[in-house]
Amino acid sequence: MLKYAGTELNKARHELMMAASGSDALEWDGPQGDRPADWLRTKANSIEGGTSEIMLSILSRRVLGLGA
Amino acid sequence: MSAMAKLVPTEDETLLGDSARGFLDSAAPVSHLRGMRDAGRSHDPDLWAKMVEMGWAGVLVPEAQGGADMGHAAAGALAGEMGRTLVASPFLSAAVIAATALRQVADGRAGEALRRIAEGGVTYALAVDEGPKFAPEATAMQARPEGNGFRLTGEKRFVVDGGFADRLLGPAPSGEGLTLFDLSAERAGITRDPRPMIDSRDAARLRFEDVEATGADVLGAVDEAVTVLAPALRAGQAALGDETAGLAAGAMAMTVGYLKERRQFGMPIGNFQALQFRAAHLWSETELTASAVLHAGRMLDSDPDNAALAVSLAKARATETAQLAVQEGVQMHGGIGMTDDFDMGFYMKRARVAAEWLGDYAYHAEEVARLRGF
């Protein structure tokens, strides 16, 4: 559950930081430094080490007993 | 509902869109943008010259000035096709925003500028942002009256196409209000700093140091920039909504293709209901967004004074749909969606820049709320 919630939260957190930084975060090496590169990197969080879909599948089978 | 107001493209718009798609699929697929990025270029004058030849630069220019005068819905059809394959061109800056501004001014100089846009003889960039967020009314740049003219001092940033444009269009406070200036980008005192943008397109920071501007450089009336600027911004926002909607459709098409082709557990992953639901939801969003952006174009063509609500709705909705399309695109492609060899990253980066330009989701949602009296 923490893998799912944590990675999705991290993606949302970086989306918010990009929006709050406005055009400053649209430049590579701009006033926000690595922010755009960090933002793009978070998109892999919900894929690597087991996708969010795999995590949700495990939760529905093991925790909720659906389709077990 | 009159025929003009129907939310389906007219025969002319469909023909225009189809011919644009045919041309762009061969002349400017996503690999074209990738090639430009890899070569360190953010603008392709040859591609723009071909678009000019096809009449796209004059889509909003009156026939008397050599344009096609097809209207904003038609301009939107072109922008949408450009969005589909992430085409980088000065179309929005010159052919939509500058042309719309110039059309508000009925003098010989504006007419001549429109003729030059239509024939591809001049490109424009809109210099409006001074902070990290779009706020056209919060302009701190100084226009100090001197003799018969002004001296301009200040900075503009996120000036899209500002690194290569021939002319700059920008407002500055001049006393009682904002005055809109139309200046050569080579005017003494202007320095341009093109920035490396995440979408690999052109945008620059501009510095104005005691730049001399005469009455002939003022577009419209002194202190009345808004009369000229507001319609130009709305036209740009609507066309950017179209481009963004096209981007979402392009990203979705790529993703749906992958769902049909990629096999896991002995079948295409598109056979899994969990992904079918998400793909169908995304498609529904792109359809609603297509109607919203077409409606914005229709309103600009038929009732421009009351088009603000439709335009902000379209820009906000297109921004959200594109974000969904690129996020689902990366996630459903899995690990390869993250790689640079795959085009989805280009869509994600352009979606982020387009989301900020000319007002983000929050800006336009607030406009919608205000216009609806909330």
Short mmCIF file of all heavy atoms in Angstrom, two decimals, chain B residues 68 119 195 221 245 324:
data_model
loop_
_atom_site.label_atom_id
_atom_site.label_comp_id
_atom_site.label_asym_id
_atom_site.label_seq_id
_atom_site.Cartn_x
_atom_site.Cartn_y
_atom_site.Cartn_z
N ALA B 68 -6.27 34.75 -46.14
CA ALA B 68 -7.39 33.88 -46.48
C ALA B 68 -8.61 34.21 -45.63
O ALA B 68 -9.72 33.82 -45.97
CB ALA B 68 -7.00 32.42 -46.28
N GLU B 119 2.50 37.07 -46.02
CA GLU B 119 3.46 36.65 -47.04
C GLU B 119 4.73 36.05 -46.41
O GLU B 119 5.67 35.71 -47.12
CB GLU B 119 3.81 37.82 -47.98
CG GLU B 119 4.59 38.94 -47.32
CD GLU B 119 4.75 40.19 -48.19
OE1 GLU B 119 3.97 40.36 -49.14
OE2 GLU B 119 5.66 40.98 -47.89
N ARG B 195 16.38 30.84 -24.01
CA ARG B 195 16.60 29.88 -22.92
C ARG B 195 16.41 28.44 -23.43
O ARG B 195 15.59 28.21 -24.31
CB ARG B 195 15.60 30.14 -21.79
CG ARG B 195 15.61 31.57 -21.27
CD ARG B 195 16.93 31.96 -20.68
NE ARG B 195 17.33 31.03 -19.63
CZ ARG B 195 18.54 30.96 -19.10
NH1 ARG B 195 19.49 31.76 -19.55
NH2 ARG B 195 18.81 30.12 -18.15
N ALA B 221 -4.13 52.99 -29.34
CA ALA B 221 -3.99 54.29 -28.67
C ALA B 221 -3.14 54.17 -27.42
O ALA B 221 -3.08 53.10 -26.79
CB ALA B 221 -5.38 54.81 -28.30
N ALA B 245 -5.29 20.35 -27.33
CA ALA B 245 -6.26 19.28 -27.58
C ALA B 245 -5.70 18.31 -28.62
O ALA B 245 -5.86 17.09 -28.49
CB ALA B 245 -7.59 19.86 -28.05
N LEU B 324 -3.83 14.53 -18.52
CA LEU B 324 -4.29 13.15 -18.35
C LEU B 324 -3.71 12.26 -19.45
O LEU B 324 -3.22 11.16 -19.19
CB LEU B 324 -5.83 13.11 -18.38
CG LEU B 324 -6.47 11.73 -18.24
CD1 LEU B 324 -6.28 11.19 -16.82
CD2 LEU B 324 -7.96 11.77 -18.59
#
